[in-house]
Short mmCIF file of all heavy atoms in Angstrom, two decimals:
data_model
loop_
_atom_site.label_atom_id
_atom_site.label_comp_id
_atom_site.label_asym_id
_atom_site.label_seq_id
_atom_site.Cartn_x
_atom_site.Cartn_y
_atom_site.Cartn_z
N TYR A 599 96.12 17.71 28.38
CA TYR A 599 96.42 17.84 26.92
C TYR A 599 96.88 19.18 26.59
O TYR A 599 96.42 20.21 27.11
CB TYR A 599 95.17 17.45 26.11
CG TYR A 599 94.89 15.91 26.10
CD1 TYR A 599 94.00 15.43 26.98
CD2 TYR A 599 95.47 15.03 25.19
CE1 TYR A 599 93.75 14.08 27.00
CE2 TYR A 599 95.23 13.76 25.14
CZ TYR A 599 94.32 13.24 26.10
OH TYR A 599 94.00 12.02 26.08
N LYS A 600 97.78 19.31 25.61
CA LYS A 600 98.28 20.51 25.13
C LYS A 600 97.22 21.05 24.16
O LYS A 600 96.48 20.35 23.55
CB LYS A 600 99.63 20.42 24.50
CG LYS A 600 100.70 20.05 25.41
CD LYS A 600 102.02 19.90 24.84
CE LYS A 600 103.05 19.61 25.85
NZ LYS A 600 103.88 18.42 25.79
N HIS A 601 97.22 22.37 23.84
CA HIS A 601 96.25 22.88 22.97
C HIS A 601 96.36 22.22 21.51
O HIS A 601 95.30 22.04 20.83
CB HIS A 601 96.41 24.43 22.78
CG HIS A 601 96.10 25.19 24.03
ND1 HIS A 601 94.80 25.22 24.58
CD2 HIS A 601 96.81 25.89 24.87
CE1 HIS A 601 94.74 25.93 25.70
NE2 HIS A 601 96.01 26.37 25.86
N ARG A 602 97.62 21.96 20.99
CA ARG A 602 97.66 21.34 19.72
C ARG A 602 97.13 19.91 19.78
O ARG A 602 96.50 19.45 18.79
CB ARG A 602 99.14 21.36 19.19
CG ARG A 602 100.07 20.52 20.03
CD ARG A 602 101.47 20.52 19.34
NE ARG A 602 102.40 19.89 20.23
CZ ARG A 602 102.52 18.66 20.68
NH1 ARG A 602 101.55 17.77 20.12
NH2 ARG A 602 103.41 18.22 21.46
N GLU A 603 97.16 19.15 20.94
CA GLU A 603 96.68 17.91 20.96
C GLU A 603 95.05 17.94 21.04
O GLU A 603 94.46 17.16 20.39
CB GLU A 603 97.14 17.18 22.26
CG GLU A 603 98.61 16.83 22.23
CD GLU A 603 99.15 16.39 23.47
OE1 GLU A 603 98.70 16.91 24.62
OE2 GLU A 603 100.08 15.47 23.51
N ILE A 604 94.62 18.88 21.71
CA ILE A 604 93.07 19.13 21.77
C ILE A 604 92.68 19.44 20.43
O ILE A 604 91.57 18.99 19.95
CB ILE A 604 92.70 20.12 22.81
CG1 ILE A 604 93.22 19.75 24.20
CG2 ILE A 604 91.22 20.48 22.66
CD1 ILE A 604 93.04 20.79 25.19
N ALA A 605 93.38 20.26 19.62
CA ALA A 605 92.99 20.66 18.32
C ALA A 605 92.87 19.39 17.38
O ALA A 605 91.94 19.28 16.66
CB ALA A 605 93.97 21.69 17.74
N GLU A 606 93.80 18.48 17.53
CA GLU A 606 93.82 17.24 16.82
C GLU A 606 92.61 16.39 17.17
O GLU A 606 91.89 15.83 16.32
CB GLU A 606 95.09 16.56 17.01
CG GLU A 606 96.32 17.17 16.30
CD GLU A 606 97.57 16.30 16.57
OE1 GLU A 606 97.46 15.18 17.02
OE2 GLU A 606 98.66 16.93 16.40
N LEU A 607 92.36 16.31 18.54
CA LEU A 607 91.22 15.47 19.00
C LEU A 607 89.90 16.05 18.46
O LEU A 607 89.05 15.22 18.15
CB LEU A 607 91.30 15.43 20.48
CG LEU A 607 92.45 14.78 21.13
CD1 LEU A 607 92.41 14.92 22.67
CD2 LEU A 607 92.55 13.26 20.77
N LEU A 608 89.75 17.31 18.57
CA LEU A 608 88.46 17.85 18.20
C LEU A 608 88.36 18.40 16.75
O LEU A 608 87.35 18.85 16.29
CB LEU A 608 88.22 19.11 19.05
CG LEU A 608 88.13 18.77 20.68
CD1 LEU A 608 87.83 20.10 21.39
CD2 LEU A 608 86.98 17.77 20.89
N LYS A 609 89.47 18.14 16.01
CA LYS A 609 89.47 18.52 14.65
C LYS A 609 89.14 19.99 14.39
O LYS A 609 88.37 20.38 13.60
CB LYS A 609 88.67 17.56 13.72
CG LYS A 609 89.05 16.17 13.74
CD LYS A 609 88.04 15.35 13.04
CE LYS A 609 88.46 13.81 12.95
NZ LYS A 609 88.36 13.09 14.23
N LYS A 610 89.97 20.77 15.19
CA LYS A 610 89.80 22.22 15.13
C LYS A 610 91.19 22.81 14.93
O LYS A 610 92.16 22.26 15.32
CB LYS A 610 89.26 22.80 16.46
CG LYS A 610 87.89 22.22 16.85
CD LYS A 610 86.74 23.03 16.23
CE LYS A 610 85.44 22.55 16.69
NZ LYS A 610 84.38 22.89 15.80
N PRO A 611 91.27 24.04 14.38
CA PRO A 611 92.56 24.74 14.36
C PRO A 611 93.07 25.06 15.68
O PRO A 611 92.42 25.31 16.58
CB PRO A 611 92.31 25.98 13.49
CG PRO A 611 90.99 25.72 12.85
CD PRO A 611 90.22 24.87 13.65
N VAL A 612 94.44 25.01 15.89
CA VAL A 612 95.02 25.29 17.17
C VAL A 612 94.66 26.66 17.73
O VAL A 612 94.37 26.84 18.88
CB VAL A 612 96.53 25.16 17.08
CG1 VAL A 612 97.20 25.52 18.45
CG2 VAL A 612 96.98 23.73 16.71
N GLY A 613 94.60 27.66 16.76
CA GLY A 613 94.27 29.00 17.18
C GLY A 613 92.87 29.07 17.69
O GLY A 613 92.59 29.83 18.69
N THR A 614 91.87 28.30 17.11
CA THR A 614 90.59 28.30 17.67
C THR A 614 90.47 27.67 19.02
O THR A 614 89.80 28.18 19.92
CB THR A 614 89.68 27.47 16.64
OG1 THR A 614 89.72 28.09 15.33
CG2 THR A 614 88.26 27.40 17.18
N VAL A 615 91.29 26.64 19.25
CA VAL A 615 91.31 26.00 20.55
C VAL A 615 91.85 26.93 21.63
O VAL A 615 91.28 27.07 22.65
CB VAL A 615 92.03 24.63 20.52
CG1 VAL A 615 92.28 24.07 21.93
CG2 VAL A 615 91.29 23.55 19.70
N THR A 616 92.94 27.51 21.29
CA THR A 616 93.60 28.45 22.18
C THR A 616 92.67 29.65 22.52
O THR A 616 92.50 30.05 23.64
CB THR A 616 94.87 28.98 21.64
OG1 THR A 616 95.78 27.85 21.32
CG2 THR A 616 95.71 29.99 22.59
N TRP A 617 92.03 30.23 21.44
CA TRP A 617 91.19 31.35 21.64
C TRP A 617 89.98 30.98 22.48
O TRP A 617 89.60 31.68 23.43
CB TRP A 617 90.74 31.84 20.31
CG TRP A 617 89.77 33.02 20.26
CD1 TRP A 617 90.16 34.34 20.41
CD2 TRP A 617 88.43 32.99 20.24
NE1 TRP A 617 89.15 35.20 20.38
CE2 TRP A 617 88.02 34.36 20.31
CE3 TRP A 617 87.47 32.09 20.18
CZ2 TRP A 617 86.66 34.78 20.29
CZ3 TRP A 617 86.11 32.34 20.09
CH2 TRP A 617 85.72 33.69 20.13
N THR A 618 89.43 29.82 22.18
CA THR A 618 88.20 29.25 22.97
C THR A 618 88.58 29.09 24.38
O THR A 618 87.79 29.43 25.32
CB THR A 618 87.68 27.99 22.35
OG1 THR A 618 87.37 28.32 20.98
CG2 THR A 618 86.48 27.48 23.02
N TYR A 619 89.80 28.55 24.64
CA TYR A 619 90.25 28.22 26.01
C TYR A 619 90.35 29.53 26.72
O TYR A 619 89.84 29.68 27.91
CB TYR A 619 91.59 27.50 25.92
CG TYR A 619 92.21 27.18 27.35
CD1 TYR A 619 91.68 26.23 28.17
CD2 TYR A 619 93.16 27.94 27.78
CE1 TYR A 619 92.11 26.03 29.41
CE2 TYR A 619 93.77 27.78 28.96
CZ TYR A 619 93.29 26.76 29.79
OH TYR A 619 93.80 26.58 31.09
N LYS A 620 91.04 30.52 26.17
CA LYS A 620 91.28 31.77 26.86
C LYS A 620 89.96 32.51 27.17
O LYS A 620 89.69 33.06 28.19
CB LYS A 620 92.13 32.78 26.11
CG LYS A 620 93.59 32.20 26.17
CD LYS A 620 94.55 33.04 25.43
CE LYS A 620 95.95 32.53 25.48
NZ LYS A 620 96.91 33.31 24.70
N ASN A 621 88.99 32.56 26.25
CA ASN A 621 87.69 33.08 26.46
C ASN A 621 86.86 32.37 27.44
O ASN A 621 86.25 33.00 28.27
CB ASN A 621 86.84 33.18 25.10
CG ASN A 621 87.38 34.30 24.17
OD1 ASN A 621 88.01 35.13 24.60
ND2 ASN A 621 86.93 34.14 22.95
N ALA A 622 86.99 31.06 27.44
CA ALA A 622 86.21 30.25 28.50
C ALA A 622 86.80 30.52 29.90
O ALA A 622 86.01 30.70 30.82
CB ALA A 622 86.45 28.78 28.15
N LEU A 623 88.15 30.69 30.04
CA LEU A 623 88.66 31.06 31.34
C LEU A 623 88.20 32.43 31.76
O LEU A 623 87.90 32.60 32.92
CB LEU A 623 90.18 30.95 31.33
CG LEU A 623 90.84 29.59 31.28
CD1 LEU A 623 92.39 29.70 31.27
CD2 LEU A 623 90.31 28.62 32.28
N ALA A 624 88.13 33.30 30.80
CA ALA A 624 87.65 34.76 31.11
C ALA A 624 86.26 34.68 31.61
O ALA A 624 85.83 35.30 32.64
CB ALA A 624 87.81 35.65 29.92
N LYS A 625 85.36 33.83 30.90
CA LYS A 625 84.01 33.70 31.33
C LYS A 625 83.91 33.15 32.80
O LYS A 625 83.09 33.58 33.62
CB LYS A 625 83.23 32.79 30.39
CG LYS A 625 82.80 33.38 29.11
CD LYS A 625 82.04 32.30 28.29
CE LYS A 625 81.68 32.69 26.98
NZ LYS A 625 81.01 31.58 26.28
N LEU A 626 84.65 32.11 33.02
CA LEU A 626 84.72 31.48 34.30
C LEU A 626 85.10 32.42 35.41
O LEU A 626 84.51 32.52 36.43
CB LEU A 626 85.57 30.22 34.34
CG LEU A 626 85.01 29.01 33.69
CD1 LEU A 626 86.17 27.91 33.70
CD2 LEU A 626 83.84 28.44 34.31
N LYS A 627 86.10 33.16 35.17
CA LYS A 627 86.75 34.09 36.10
C LYS A 627 85.61 35.15 36.45
O LYS A 627 85.39 35.39 37.66
CB LYS A 627 87.97 34.80 35.58
CG LYS A 627 88.64 35.73 36.56
CD LYS A 627 89.83 36.34 36.04
CE LYS A 627 90.43 37.31 37.00
NZ LYS A 627 91.51 38.12 36.42
N ALA A 628 85.02 35.67 35.43
CA ALA A 628 83.98 36.75 35.58
C ALA A 628 82.78 36.12 36.52
O ALA A 628 82.33 36.75 37.35
CB ALA A 628 83.47 37.27 34.28
N HIS A 629 82.36 34.91 36.11
CA HIS A 629 81.28 34.31 36.76
C HIS A 629 81.59 34.05 38.21
O HIS A 629 80.82 34.34 39.18
CB HIS A 629 80.95 32.98 36.05
CG HIS A 629 79.94 32.15 36.80
ND1 HIS A 629 78.51 32.56 36.73
CD2 HIS A 629 79.93 31.08 37.60
CE1 HIS A 629 77.83 31.73 37.47
NE2 HIS A 629 78.75 30.84 38.06
N LEU A 630 82.86 33.57 38.56
CA LEU A 630 83.21 33.24 39.89
C LEU A 630 83.40 34.50 40.70
O LEU A 630 83.09 34.50 41.92
CB LEU A 630 84.52 32.43 39.85
CG LEU A 630 84.36 31.01 39.34
CD1 LEU A 630 85.74 30.29 39.26
CD2 LEU A 630 83.38 30.10 40.29
N GLU A 631 83.93 35.57 40.09
CA GLU A 631 84.00 36.80 40.81
C GLU A 631 82.67 37.47 41.12
O GLU A 631 82.50 37.90 42.25
CB GLU A 631 84.83 37.88 39.93
CG GLU A 631 86.33 37.51 39.90
CD GLU A 631 87.16 38.43 38.90
OE1 GLU A 631 86.54 39.13 38.14
OE2 GLU A 631 88.40 38.34 38.98
N GLU A 632 81.70 37.26 40.24
CA GLU A 632 80.37 37.73 40.43
C GLU A 632 79.73 36.92 41.52
O GLU A 632 79.12 37.56 42.43
CB GLU A 632 79.54 37.59 39.19
CG GLU A 632 78.11 38.05 39.32
CD GLU A 632 78.00 39.50 39.58
OE1 GLU A 632 78.83 40.35 39.09
OE2 GLU A 632 77.01 39.87 40.28
N GLU A 633 79.96 35.67 41.60
CA GLU A 633 79.31 34.71 42.74
C GLU A 633 79.96 35.17 43.98
O GLU A 633 79.32 35.18 45.12
CB GLU A 633 79.68 33.31 42.38
CG GLU A 633 78.82 32.70 41.25
CD GLU A 633 77.43 32.65 41.60
OE1 GLU A 633 77.06 32.11 42.65
OE2 GLU A 633 76.60 33.08 40.85
#
């Protein structure tokens, strides 16, 4: 799904979905590098 489609599905602004996605990837990357 594209970010705008996810925003519609979750009833969130597109900017919030994009921001959340990028932050989540950063968290995952940091965690996996630490592991």
Side-chain angles (χ1 to χ4, degrees):
Y599 285 93
K600 295 179 173 125
H601 291 297
R602 66 174 169 69
E603 293 171 322
I604 296 169
E606 289 176 20
L607 295 173
L608 299 179
K609 296 177 177 73
K610 303 272 183 200
V612 176
T614 301
V615 169
T616 304
W617 183 82
T618 303
Y619 176 77
K620 288 181 180 178
N621 282 343
L623 289 185
K625 283 183 187 180
L626 284 173
K627 182 180 178 187
H629 175 77
L630 291 171
E631 287 173 350
E632 180 64 31
E633 288 293 313

